[in-house]
Amino acid sequence: MSALSRLKISRPGQLLGLLAIAVLLGAFVFAALPDGKANMLVTSYKAWTIGAFLVQGLVADMVVFCRSRPGDAITSHERMLRELRRAIVIAATMIAGGLAL
């Protein structure tokens, strides 16, 4: 069970939380670049865009695999495979979006 699920946050709240975390992490990563501090507006936009791709990957996984959620798995092995599938879909979406930047 994920930490966000333990907090009993609704699904839109989880998505907004993930987006906020991604924006903060992205801002730190882009600010660490040599010329990243020069233009903080561009830095914030890039971080927000990558965070949006993270949420888009999660939504795509939830839509495409709507009948096989990780929490509905019977065995721990099946749950691990479903979580791995979700992580791969989200990572691929973020990488594709990051390369598009």
Side-chain angles (χ1 to χ4, degrees):
M1 186 177 282
S2 71
L4 288 175
S5 295
R6 287 187 193 126
L7 296 175
K8 303 294 184 206
I9 299 174
S10 64
R11 183 70 65 184
Q14 289 180 14
L15 292 175
L16 288 174
L18 284 173
L19 183 60
I21 291 169
V23 168
L24 289 174
L25 289 175
F28 287 134
V29 168
F30 285 116
L33 296 173
D35 60 344
K37 293 180 183 177
N39 195 344
M40 204 57 181
L41 184 62
V42 173
T43 300
S44 301
Y45 172 72
K46 287 180 181 180
W48 179 82
T49 304
I50 288 182
F53 282 115
L54 175 137
V55 173
Q56 183 181 5
L58 179 61
V59 169
D61 181 72
M62 289 169 57
V63 169
V64 173
F65 301 105
C66 63
R67 302 252 184 228
S68 81
R69 296 192 175 160
D72 296 338
I74 296 171
T75 64
S76 62
H77 178 70
E78 184 182 5
R79 181 183 175 115
M80 183 184 68
L81 290 177
R82 288 181 183 183
E83 288 175 351
L84 179 64
R85 181 206 67 224
R86 180 170 277 180
I88 289 171
V89 169
I90 291 172
T93 307
M94 285 181 60
I95 290 171
L99 291 175
L101 282 176

